[in-house]
Amino acid sequence: MEGRDDQPTADVESGARLRPSAVRSRGAVTWPSVDGPLGVSWEEAETSARRFFFWGFAFLPLLWAVNCFYFWPVLVSKASPSSSPHFSRIRSYVVWSSIGFVIFAVLLTAWALTFAIGGEHLFGPMWKDLVMYNLADKLQLTGLM
Amino acid sequence: MDDRSTDSDPVTAGESSILDTLGEDVIRIVSPVSLCMLLVVLLVSSVSSTNDLSSSISSLFLSSTTTPTSFSSLNLLLLGSDSTWEEIKSALVTALSFVVVVTLLTFLLVLLFYFRCTNFLRIYMGISSLFVLSFLGGFISLLLISHFKIPIDPFTFAILLFNLSVVGVFAVFMPKFPISMNQGYLVAIGVLTAYWFTMLPEWTTWALLIAMSLYDLAAVLLPIGPLRLLVELAMSRNEEIPALVYEARPVDPQPGDRVRVWRERTDVRIEATENSTNSATVQTVQETRLAVSEEITAPLIEAFPQTGDRHLGTEEEEDGIGLGSSGAIKLGLGDFIFYSVLVGRAAMYDYMTVYACYLAIMAGLGVTLLLLAVYRKALPALPVSIMLGVVFYLLTRVLLEVFVVQCSSNLLMF
């Protein structure tokens, strides 16, 4: 080991038990990503965070969720003097991604639950035509393969 | 398999032995394989549950199980009930043609890799995984939705499918992605493809399994085998073959000054073979429709540092390999798929055969890992496990079932 003393454990043998995201101690985040030492460096992390954020606008809100998950250590810790200069920029991307994902998830869940629970007495006979299993039967989608 | 030296580590006194991390290594490759098999068994038993009773009864008299798919029902319709010999013949022809197509495509892959068309290969594989995730994934989820009558609307369904498949393609091919998502999506692709394969008629499935394991054996071990050529090419150039390979997380991540991206390693390691990525068109003799199968097969490979006669004390020199001295076991996705196909097909008969085949496959995998540790070169992961699995399936079906049924019905056991 290099003698970094902000590693929570110096025991290489327990590396298997070491959760990479637990590499945060004394307020400083050592690794930007949840993969820890196997993940990206700080510069690459900023590029990745930005890319995930902007690609998420292409109807891919799951990328925003991936962004939050991947940079979880950045999301949950606060900026401290010893953290990397990229930290704040990554953090802003990740925070905005999480806001976007939460809004999307709320909207989608609301719509899906309305559809599922409302059922016929909310939508009328149209519900039967719209629901996926009838639609799949009508369009013979399950016979394609 | 690999040595881990901790000479520079102040905490541990001496060198660590391989036994310290061997169990963890093996578990990290056995768990995803088991998970893949479990999901395929669940899919198979849930979607075909309405036909389960009739198929198990009829399978006692006929030699093939009637599966609720278009293939076998069309088969039976066309040929009638004494189609056993016809089925065997068509199965052999199908399996043989599949192996021929796979061989040709693998040679094509070797050629493309030789001419350094790596980008083309990556794009092609991206498209094929997109296909598998979206079309096959959509098809199987539609099967589940229809079966369980889930009240989902097409708008939500489309959004979810689009998101999951596109992110899946990114997860599998972009190097800068969460490892857990990468591994999860590889298992998902394996599950989907394996489930699709279990929809083939029974004799065809078994013939295909045996043919593919023989092909794997030949392609990896023979000197003219395409996979061996591929591996030697990749080794000589120190490149990674663009293929769908599941890589277990190394047990011992040694953080160095340079943070290494997990996938981009400049290898001094001995990289064993990675297999081809194929898109094969399977034409069954009786079926008039073309079934397009995305098939990714790869043998078991292990990447580990060239320790050899290297002293354990010179660990720091190995830092350039990126993950320190910890090698990671890599298993090709095709192995996942064919193991799961075997177990899924066993599930279509009874759960007893599932347990027997699962144990056989795990034993085969253990034997293969052992051989890998001994020989330290590319090894085919299919033959041992598939052969053991087939043998156990036959023995269970013929011998064990009779025994267990009689014991249970006389209230002797269970």
Side-chain angles (χ1 to χ4, degrees):
Chain A
M1 303 288 277
E2 319 317 304
R4 280 177 191 254
D5 53 37
D6 55 350
Q7 301 275 344
T9 169
D11 186 19
V12 170
E13 299 318 299
S14 67
R17 290 183 285 283
L18 170 69
R19 278 217 62 213
S21 66
V23 288
R24 172 171 52 97
S25 62
R26 298 181 199 139
V29 183
T30 328
W31 306 106
S33 69
V34 89
D35 286 333
L38 299 170
V40 289
S41 64
W42 283 97
E43 299 80 24
E44 292 169 332
E46 188 179 339
T47 327
S48 285
R50 180 171 46 230
R51 225 182 269 155
F52 284 153
F53 179 65
F54 284 118
W55 275 96
F57 284 108
F59 300 108
L60 290 168
L62 198 62
L63 272 182
W64 286 333
V66 171
N67 208 4
C68 303
F69 169 66
Y70 198 31
F71 296 114
W72 190 256
V74 170
L75 190 62
V76 294
S77 65
K78 309 213 188 323
S80 74
S82 60
S83 59
S84 156
H86 302 277
F87 184 91
S88 51
R89 267 166 283 161
I90 297 179
R91 184 139 209 270
S92 62
Y93 284 127
V94 175
V95 164
W96 279 108
S97 298
S98 61
I99 292 174
F101 179 68
V102 165
I103 292 176
F104 163 79
V106 163
L107 288 175
L108 190 71
T109 320
W111 161 246
L113 283 178
T114 315
F115 187 85
I117 298 177
E120 277 189 69
H121 55 81
L122 195 61
F123 290 93
M126 197 176 60
W127 190 85
K128 274 227 175 69
D129 290 328
L130 274 183
V131 80
M132 203 60 211
Y133 45 84
N134 287 339
L135 201 63
D137 282 336
K138 193 169 67 168
L139 297 175
Q140 288 293 305
L141 289 173
T142 51
L144 282 178
M145 297 216 151
Chain B
M1 277 188 260
D2 38 69
D3 298 301
R4 286 173 180 71
S5 131
T6 50
D7 253 2
S8 47
D9 185 8
V11 176
T12 55
E15 51 198 68
S16 66
S17 78
I18 194 172
L19 288 174
D20 286 345
T21 47
L22 183 59
E24 186 80 33
D25 259 331
V26 172
I27 286 180
R28 285 189 183 186
I29 199 71
V30 161
S31 325
V33 176
S34 309
L35 180 67
C36 187
M37 290 198 258
L38 177 72
L39 288 176
V40 171
V41 167
L42 285 178
L43 264 179
V44 163
S45 50
S46 68
V47 172
S48 63
S49 62
T50 48
N51 283 32
D52 226 348
L53 189 62
S54 57
S55 60
S56 7
I57 291 176
S58 61
S59 66
L60 288 175
F61 302 111
L62 298 173
S63 54
S64 68
T65 10
T66 56
T67 49
T69 67
S70 43
F71 290 113
S72 53
S73 41
L74 190 61
N75 224 345
L76 287 170
L77 268 176
L78 287 178
L79 301 169
S81 58
D82 62 334
S83 58
T84 314
W85 182 237
E86 294 292 324
E87 275 201 30
I88 296 179
K89 276 197 295 190
S90 87
L92 288 174
V93 171
T94 314
L96 214 63
S97 55
F98 193 77
V99 167
V100 164
V101 171
V102 165
T103 321
L104 290 175
L105 287 176
T106 319
F107 273 116
L108 184 66
L109 183 74
V110 173
L111 213 64
L112 286 176
F113 192 66
Y114 182 71
F115 289 123
R116 298 175 190 272
C117 307
T118 342
N119 267 338
F120 171 75
L121 283 173
R122 288 182 67 84
I123 292 174
Y124 169 74
M125 282 199 302
I127 292 179
S128 70
S129 10
L130 185 66
F131 178 83
V132 167
L133 279 174
S134 55
F135 284 108
L136 224 50
F139 169 69
I140 289 173
S141 29
L142 281 176
L143 276 180
L144 286 173
I145 287 175
S146 303
H147 193 261
F148 291 116
K149 298 277 186 263
I150 302 174
I152 195 172
D153 61 303
F155 176 66
T156 317
F157 180 74
I159 284 191
L160 286 176
L161 189 64
F162 176 66
N163 268 273
L164 288 171
S165 37
V166 173
V167 172
V169 174
F170 287 160
V172 165
F173 286 108
M174 272 176 53
K176 312 203 182 0
F177 223 81
I179 297 179
S180 39
M181 287 192 70
N182 169 281
Q183 294 176 332
Y185 267 106
L186 282 172
V187 171
I189 293 179
V191 167
L192 294 175
T193 318
Y195 181 73
W196 188 88
F197 270 110
T198 59
M199 296 199 299
L200 293 172
E202 179 154 16
W203 278 104
T204 316
T205 320
W206 293 111
L208 191 69
L209 282 172
I210 297 179
M212 281 310 293
S213 50
L214 291 175
Y215 162 75
D216 206 19
L217 194 65
V220 172
L221 295 179
L222 288 181
I224 54 158
L227 300 176
R228 189 174 171 142
L229 296 174
L230 200 61
V231 157
E232 283 167 5
L233 260 181
M235 260 169 55
S236 63
R237 289 194 209 162
N238 266 343
E239 274 177 25
E240 273 206 19
I241 307 169
L244 284 177
V245 166
Y246 181 94
E247 184 167 346
R249 209 188 275 251
V251 178
D252 218 355
Q254 301 223 1
D257 282 330
R258 291 173 291 168
V259 173
R260 286 304 190 131
V261 175
W262 174 61
R263 209 95 67 69
E264 294 159 0
R265 281 178 266 156
T266 56
D267 273 282
V268 183
R269 300 166 191 251
I270 302 169
E271 270 205 28
T273 351
E274 264 165 323
N275 201 324
S276 54
T277 311
N278 309 303
S279 165
T281 312
V282 176
Q283 258 180 341
T284 59
V285 174
Q286 276 121 353
E287 277 30 88
T288 51
R289 69 175 82 183
L290 292 173
V292 180
S293 82
E294 294 303 315
E295 204 262 304
I296 303 111
T297 58
L300 181 69
I301 57 175
E302 183 185 20
F304 58 94
Q306 222 164 0
T307 46
D309 50 348
R310 197 188 283 255
H311 219 328
L312 294 171
T314 60
E315 200 49 50
E316 291 85 274
E317 292 158 27
E318 306 218 39
D319 199 25
I321 304 177
L323 291 174
S325 60
S326 55
I329 302 183
K330 294 198 224 181
L331 185 62
L333 205 62
D335 299 320
F336 275 78
I337 291 173
F338 284 113
Y339 294 164
S340 310
V341 168
L342 198 151
V343 175
R345 185 41 83 168
M348 285 179 171
Y349 182 69
D350 194 40
Y351 282 123
M352 239 193 307
T353 42
V354 169
Y355 301 137
C357 291
Y358 173 74
L359 291 174
I361 290 179
M362 285 301 139
L365 190 62
V367 166
T368 317
L369 287 174
L370 204 70
L371 290 175
L372 193 66
V374 167
Y375 285 106
R376 301 199 164 210
K377 55 189 274 251
L379 284 183
L382 280 183
V384 184
S385 290
I386 300 285
M387 292 309 180
L388 274 179
V390 170
V391 165
F392 271 61
Y393 176 80
L394 290 172
L395 287 178
T396 309
R397 195 164 155 167
V398 169
L399 299 176
L400 188 64
E401 183 180 12
V402 178
F403 174 67
V404 168
V405 163
Q406 294 204 355
C407 278
S408 322
S409 58
N410 288 309
L411 300 178
L412 200 61
M413 253 202 300
F414 312 113

